[in-house]
Amino acid sequence: MATGYVLYNKHAGDKQNEEDVRMLEVVIDEPLKFIDITNVKNYRVFLGGLEPDDFIILAGGDGTLNHFANKTDGIEYHNEVLYFPNGTGNDFARELGHQKECNPFPITEYLKDLPCVIVNGKKYRFINGVGYGIDGYCCEAGDELKKIPGKKVNYTAIAIKGLLFHYKPTKATVTVDGKTHTYEKVWITPTMNGKFYGGGMMPTPNQDRRSKEKTLSVMVLHGSGKLKTLCVFPSIFKGEHIKHTEMIEILTGYEIRVEYDRPTPLQIDGETILGVTSYTALSPKKEMTMQSKAVMAAI
């Protein structure tokens, strides 16, 4: 009989733990084993020890998906992977039309051929997007609030306070497939694989993670003052900000490099990296091309 291995993140959402995901025993007929995802030290050994009919349920938020995708990078999946969204933002589930704590749904196909981002010389896979600017600042501020017991994190409130008082825009250079663009007073430049990030924000409404081209999209919010930015910012949740072409530009390509003129927090699927001056995002096709060229050069 098949066994389901529930990899849960006790830090997802409002400090979810094993007791919270035990509800899965009501909706799943097969026996389940619950494992803290942070206790899996070797995924190649873990996955290799599963029986052919066993399956995995990832329980958590977008950060949990990111963790699993990076820890299993380069390992072929032989067992079905399902997802039980019970994190804070749940943007991946939102894009696919699923609600928080819905019945687990299959996601194996979405964990293959993921884009990557290179930050400070290190490569990371990402599920939804890479945020750079005030979105990274919001994640940094949110991380600090999470350290306070019982403190609720409201990212919208953090963003508003950041726009008005704390965050200062930068000068940015954005290079897409070799073509360089420069911008003044840049507030955010997220590069997206999917449509949503940040708990429902839709910076690139036409981005499609399922497209055959596997391109990425970067949105630049630039050239505006605090008040105008604050007025337009909420429209990102509906994707209506793209009407403001005087301050919004969306570029699409296979290789996207963003450089700021000062260090700024960056987030990858909600996971924060501090003091970043640049990042380079690569689509699966671009990464494969670069690897092929490196192999040929070494011959």
Side-chain angles (χ1 to χ4, degrees), residues 9-295:
N9 180 1
K10 62 183 179 182
H11 298 297
D14 297 323
K15 303 299 182 184
Q16 300 288 346
N17 53 35
E18 183 174 348
E19 293 180 3
D20 297 304
V21 298
R22 283 284 178 181
M23 67 178 73
L24 290 172
E25 293 179 314
V26 177
V27 297
I28 303 295
D29 294 330
E30 291 83 354
L32 300 178
K33 292 185 178 180
F34 294 84
I35 302 172
D36 182 347
I37 196 169
T38 61
N39 290 335
V40 182
K41 303 304 181 184
N42 189 319
Y43 277 87
R44 194 174 295 277
V45 172
F46 169 71
L47 294 174
L50 302 181
E51 296 297 327
D53 293 334
D54 291 343
F55 57 94
I56 297 167
I57 300 178
L58 297 176
D62 298 300
T64 301
L65 292 176
N66 180 282
H67 176 90
F68 184 80
N70 278 281
K71 291 296 184 180
T72 60
D73 188 23
I75 304 174
E76 187 175 352
Y77 303 131
H78 296 290
N79 301 82
E80 185 172 39
V81 181
L82 308 174
Y83 180 45
F84 176 66
N86 70 332
T88 302
N90 304 306
D91 287 303
F92 173 79
R94 177 181 288 104
E95 182 174 342
L96 298 182
H98 296 279
Q99 301 294 321
K100 182 176 181 178
E101 297 184 344
C102 64
N103 287 344
F105 59 93
I107 63 166
T108 310
E109 63 176 301
Y110 297 105
L111 296 173
K112 300 175 181 178
D113 297 324
L114 286 171
C116 71
V117 59
I118 300 170
V119 182
N120 297 334
K122 186 175 180 179
K123 184 175 75 173
Y124 306 84
R125 297 291 171 193
F126 62 97
I127 301 287
N128 299 322
V130 179
Y132 195 30
I134 197 166
D135 39 10
Y137 159 82
C138 289
C139 287
E140 178 187 16
D143 289 344
E144 291 301 313
L145 290 176
K146 288 177 182 178
K147 296 176 183 178
I148 304 174
K151 187 71 173 180
K152 295 280 187 178
V153 179
N154 186 325
Y155 287 103
T156 301
I158 294 172
I160 292 173
K161 290 180 182 178
L163 281 168
L164 288 175
F165 307 112
H166 305 299
Y167 185 79
K168 299 188 185 317
T170 67
K171 181 177 180 180
T173 301
V174 180
T175 304
V176 179
D177 294 341
K179 186 175 181 180
T180 299
H181 312 257
T182 57
Y183 303 91
E184 301 288 341
K185 297 179 69 174
V186 174
W187 295 93
I188 51 175
T189 51
T191 291
M192 302 297 296
N193 177 47
K195 283 183 172 63
F196 294 100
Y197 85 144
M201 295 171 62
M202 190 165 32
T204 55
N206 295 319
Q207 174 64 22
D208 183 5
R209 69 172 72 242
R210 290 170 282 197
S211 74
K212 293 182 179 180
E213 290 301 310
K214 292 291 184 180
T215 52
L216 303 172
S217 296
V218 59
M219 186 271 280
V220 187
L221 195 164
H222 66 97
S224 59
K226 291 183 178 181
L227 291 180
K228 186 171 182 180
T229 302
L230 185 60
C231 289
V232 172
F233 196 82
S235 65
I236 296 178
F237 286 89
K238 293 184 178 181
E240 296 177 351
H241 61 296
I242 61 175
K243 298 176 183 177
H244 299 271
T245 54
E246 76 282 2
M247 58 188 288
I248 301 291
E249 184 162 11
I250 296 177
L251 304 168
T252 299
Y254 296 96
E255 179 179 3
I256 297 172
R257 179 171 175 80
V258 179
E259 301 171 82
Y260 277 5
D261 64 351
R262 64 175 173 81
T264 303
L266 175 145
Q267 61 87 14
I268 306 171
D269 291 333
E271 302 301 305
T272 313
I273 301 177
L274 303 179
V276 177
T277 55
S278 68
Y279 74 82
T280 301
L282 303 173
S283 73
K285 286 189 176 182
K286 180 63 178 181
E287 185 182 10
M288 187 177 297
T289 299
M290 292 174 65
Q291 290 174 344
S292 297
K293 289 183 179 179
V295 171

